[in-house]
């Protein structure tokens, strides 16, 4: 088939004929051919090819089977995912296929739509376009993904592996809507509990081990080269961008019943004690899911009055949890809450982004867990772009110092863009941090800085530290990098009306 009109197949495993009958016609309308590896429940479905398996091979192995044994050999591109994934509504399969082949003419590549960020989707390839050269050569010719996983985490390995090989095309301009059952607050399907949830902990542990080992056995069956003829070799330095963050917090989430819950309870107790010490209350707890239920003992003995529980899922709003009403963000503000604690780990950064209305009403929001390497980097880029757009270039940064180097490593790629790193807790003990001069607050006040970026993710809005006031009295605004929309504290100084 000519490259001007490539054949693109949507190929998935499915245990639910009803979902297939609902979802597959939408892919067909957009020009995709369809192949389904059916298991668990037989049923007529609108697919071009349907193959029955008596047992579920696991998601990655199912994708490998579909790509290598079921989809016709003439097909250069396969899109996978699940029976709850919808195609991008604005581009046909042929349009996206042509774009893919323009980017990866040798078909050794992976393209992932990231327009739908549900379930932290920008951190893995949950519905990838996969080129034939990738799925026919990777893992010594065994398939597109590592088949040792049962269901989850293979898509995480695919993301970081393709990224490290320089052939991942992330497309936030495209959207595969993930109509997952948790999106509507539905009950977990029985087959999902049996086939996915029961193996998730083992899959997560496997992913962590394989990440530390640089994904052993991933090498293609034959050498693959870039456009300049250089062999493609996995660049393991990309893993420092946060490859393990999701897995580590997921491990904490899954093992809390076996003792890990103590860490959740300790974090929540510390946040509540801090709010009580500052006289903040009543408060709202943001999140009504597993994390909140796991810290129920701490919430029951809260030293600060709790007014309500917040959940973004409309199907949960109007219900009650332990006699607290479950409400929206807007309703919580109307009820007069004076503080908010985020109660989640996997999705904390997304909830933080949704918390803008609280900041606009000067209601402090408390996080429980450190921001990831990738999140810190993205927020720093946003802050620097805004400052440079307004001609603010002579910068200091505070809140970087830490006892743990791995929590500071995100700053390495930004260090040369700052005049100094400011210690806000003590006189600087080090002479530099990744090459940027380390100074005390007193020293920084004499350096003629245009602005200071506060990189401490733990400091809620409305409770500025003493050093903030000292800089602002000197006419140096302090911008808190971790706000969803970075705000500059008063006075506005050279930044005018930026907020």
């Amino acid at each position: 088939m000519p490259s001007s009109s490539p054949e693109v197949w949507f190929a998935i495993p499915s245990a639910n004929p009803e979902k297939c009958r609902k979802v597959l016609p939408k892919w067909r309308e957009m020009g995709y051919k369809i192949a389904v590896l059916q298991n668990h429940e037989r049923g007529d479905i609108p697919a071009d090819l349907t193959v029955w398996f008596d047992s579920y091979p696991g998601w990655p192995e199912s994708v490998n089977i579909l790509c290598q044994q079921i989809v016709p050999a003439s097909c250069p591109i396969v899109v996978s995912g699940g029976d709850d994934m919808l195609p991008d509504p604005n581009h046909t399969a042929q349009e996206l296929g042509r774009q893919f082949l323009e980017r990866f003419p040798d078909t050794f590549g992976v393209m992932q739509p990231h327009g739908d960020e549900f379930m932290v989707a920008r951190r893995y390839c949950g519905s990838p376009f996969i080129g034939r050269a990738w799925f026919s050569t990777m893992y010594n010719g065994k398939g597109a993904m590592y088949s040792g996983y049962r269901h989850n985490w293979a898509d995480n390995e695919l993301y970081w592996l393709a990224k490290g090989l320089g052939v991942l095309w992330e497309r936030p301009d495209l959207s595969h809507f993930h109509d997952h059952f948790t999106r509507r607050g539905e009950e977990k399907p029985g087959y999902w509990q049996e086939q996915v949830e029961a193996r998730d902990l083992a899959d997560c542990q496997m992913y962590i081990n394989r990440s530390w080992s640089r994904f052993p056995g991933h090498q293609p069956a034959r050498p693959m080269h870039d456009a300049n003829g250089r062999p493609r070799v996995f660049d393991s330095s990309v893993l420092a961008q946060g490859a393990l963050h999701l897995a580590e917090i997921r491990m904490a989430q899954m093992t809390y019943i076996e003792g890990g819950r103590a860490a959740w309870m300790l974090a929540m107790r510390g946040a509540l004690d801090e709010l009580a010490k500052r006289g903040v209350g009543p408060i709202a707890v943001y999140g009504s899911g597993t994390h909140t239920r796991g810290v129920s003992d701490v919430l029951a003995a809260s030293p600060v009055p709790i007014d309500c529980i917040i959940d973004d899922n409309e199907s949960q709003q109007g219900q009650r949890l332990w006699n607290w009403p479950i409400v929206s963000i807007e309703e919580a503000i109307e009820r007069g809450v004076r503080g908010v604690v985020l109660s989640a780990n996997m999705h904390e950064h997304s909830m933080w982004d949704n918390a803008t209305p609280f900041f606009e009403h000067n209601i402090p929001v408390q996080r429980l867990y450190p921001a990831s390497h990738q999140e810190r980097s993205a927020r720093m880029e946003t802050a620097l772009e805004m400052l440079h757009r307004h001609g603010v270039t002579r910068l200091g940064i505070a809140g970087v110092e830490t006892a743990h180097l791995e929590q500071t490593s995100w700053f390495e790629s930004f260090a040369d863009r700052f005049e100094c790193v400011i210690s806000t807790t003590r006189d600087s003990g080090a002479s530099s941090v990744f090459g940027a001069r380390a100074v005390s607050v007193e020293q920084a006040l004499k350096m003629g800085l245009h602005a200071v970026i506060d990189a401490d993710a733990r400091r809620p809005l409305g409770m500025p530290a003493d050093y903030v006031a000292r800089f602002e009295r000197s006419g140096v605004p302090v911008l808190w990098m971790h706000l969803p929309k970075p705000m500059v504290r008063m006075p506005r100084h050279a930044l005018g009306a930026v907020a």
Side-chain angles (χ1 to χ4, degrees):
M1 181 168 291
S3 60
S4 60
S5 182
E7 187 176 84
V8 183
W9 282 69
F10 179 56
I12 61 168
S14 176
N16 192 323
E18 182 181 351
K19 280 189 174 181
C20 283
R21 287 189 285 267
K22 177 182 177 182
V23 167
L24 297 185
K26 299 183 183 300
W27 288 89
R28 179 161 285 166
E29 289 170 7
M30 299 307 296
Y32 295 85
K33 295 284 191 176
I34 299 168
V36 176
L37 194 153
Q38 202 172 59
N39 63 86
H40 186 74
E41 182 181 348
R42 288 183 184 269
D44 292 331
I45 57 176
D48 296 280
L49 293 171
T50 302
V51 178
W52 170 260
F53 264 52
D54 290 329
S55 61
Y56 180 48
W59 183 66
E61 181 60 12
S62 295
V63 174
N64 292 342
I65 292 170
L66 284 158
C67 288
Q68 295 189 316
Q69 302 177 30
I70 299 173
V71 167
S74 60
C75 170
I77 305 165
V78 171
V79 184
S80 196
D83 55 21
D84 56 358
M85 195 73 66
L86 300 178
D88 182 273
N90 300 314
H91 302 83
T92 67
Q94 289 67 41
E95 288 177 305
L96 297 179
R98 286 193 292 270
Q99 293 175 17
F100 184 95
L101 293 179
E102 288 173 3
R103 179 69 171 255
F104 306 113
D106 63 353
T107 71
F108 189 73
V110 177
M111 181 174 81
Q112 176 59 51
H114 277 318
D116 181 16
E117 299 185 42
F118 180 64
M119 298 180 73
V120 206
R122 286 201 175 194
R123 300 292 299 280
Y124 50 86
C125 291
S127 58
F129 286 69
I130 310 169
R132 176 162 290 277
W134 178 279
F135 64 70
S136 65
T137 65
M138 287 302 293
Y139 299 98
N140 198 31
K142 294 178 181 177
M145 287 182 275
Y146 181 65
S147 61
Y149 301 103
R150 180 64 171 180
H151 190 90
N152 292 329
W153 302 101
D155 47 10
N156 290 70
E157 178 164 333
L158 176 61
Y159 175 93
W160 291 105
L161 188 54
K163 196 176 185 74
L165 286 168
V167 292
L168 176 64
W169 190 7
E170 299 179 73
R171 298 288 301 270
D173 58 314
L174 304 178
S175 182
H176 283 171
F177 183 82
H178 193 184
D179 194 20
H180 197 266
F181 62 86
T182 58
R183 198 161 201 153
R184 299 180 302 277
E186 296 176 354
E187 293 295 322
K188 302 172 183 177
Y191 67 83
W192 189 90
Q193 292 176 286
E194 296 169 7
Q195 299 291 347
V196 180
E197 188 174 52
R199 287 289 301 274
D200 199 21
L201 178 58
D203 282 348
C204 187
Q205 291 172 325
M206 179 182 293
Y207 171 75
I208 291 175
N209 292 336
R210 287 184 57 76
S211 296
W212 282 114
S213 304
R214 307 299 187 257
F215 306 127
H218 72 264
Q219 291 79 8
R222 65 176 188 272
M224 305 303 297
H225 300 83
D226 63 19
N228 297 313
R230 293 187 294 261
R232 291 196 180 277
V233 179
F234 178 62
D235 178 6
S236 61
S237 68
V238 302
L239 299 179
Q241 298 175 24
L244 289 175
H245 181 68
L246 280 180
E248 289 168 341
I249 59 178
R250 180 59 175 157
M251 280 286 289
Q253 183 182 54
M254 289 185 290
T255 58
Y256 83 95
I257 294 176
E258 301 169 13
R261 185 172 67 137
W264 295 7
M265 296 174 70
L266 185 64
M268 179 60 77
R269 184 177 292 116
L272 295 175
D273 287 346
E274 177 65 22
L275 290 170
K277 183 172 67 176
R278 292 176 0 217
V280 176
I283 68 164
V285 175
Y286 190 173
S288 66
T290 303
H291 188 279
T292 296
R293 296 167 196 272
V295 298
S296 58
D297 292 348
V298 175
L299 297 179
S302 173
V304 61
I306 299 174
D307 178 78
C308 57
I309 307 289
I310 298 170
D311 200 294
D312 295 322
N313 191 328
E314 293 183 2
S315 68
Q316 297 297 313
Q317 296 166 12
Q319 301 185 35
R320 302 186 76 85
L321 182 62
W322 307 310
N323 210 35
W324 286 307
I326 301 177
V327 302
S328 65
I329 289 176
E330 293 72 19
E331 187 175 349
I333 294 172
E334 291 174 1
R335 292 172 67 91
V337 300
R338 304 311 308 153
V340 176
V341 176
L342 304 187
S343 181
N345 45 11
M346 280 291 286
H347 305 294
E348 188 185 59
H349 74 285
S350 297
M351 294 165 63
W352 182 256
D353 282 340
N354 292 340
T356 300
F358 296 119
F359 303 133
E360 292 172 345
H361 286 80
N362 204 35
I363 299 172
V365 180
Q366 188 79 39
R367 293 183 70 155
L368 301 185
Y369 305 105
S372 69
H373 181 294
Q374 189 173 35
E375 181 185 347
R376 290 174 191 266
S377 297
R379 295 192 190 282
M380 176 60 78
E381 287 287 4
T382 299
L384 290 175
E385 180 182 352
M386 185 189 74
L387 288 166
H388 291 166
R389 192 167 61 241
H390 289 79
V392 181
T393 57
R394 191 171 174 81
L395 301 172
I397 185 167
V400 172
E401 73 271 5
T402 175
H404 304 289
L405 182 60
E406 64 271 17
Q407 294 180 11
T408 311
S409 61
W410 67 272
F411 177 65
E412 183 172 9
S413 61
F414 297 99
D416 61 354
R417 299 162 78 171
F418 289 89
E419 300 294 323
C420 60
V421 174
I422 305 164
S423 172
T424 60
T425 57
R426 60 190 182 280
D427 288 339
S428 177
S431 59
S432 66
V433 179
F434 294 119
R437 180 186 175 191
V439 301
S440 66
V441 172
E442 289 73 18
Q443 291 171 312
L445 286 167
K446 301 173 184 177
M447 294 180 66
L449 299 175
H450 296 162
V452 171
I453 291 181
D454 184 347
D456 190 340
R458 301 165 298 176
R459 190 173 292 118
L461 179 67
M463 301 299 293
D466 290 343
Y467 85 91
V468 173
R470 295 181 65 187
F471 278 111
E472 292 181 344
R473 283 196 297 269
S474 299
V476 180
V478 178
L479 176 151
W480 193 26
M481 141 183 148
H482 286 277
L483 283 177
K485 183 179 181 182
M487 290 184 178
V488 178
R489 302 183 193 275
M490 295 296 288
R492 308 272 183 175
H493 192 56
L495 301 181
V498 175

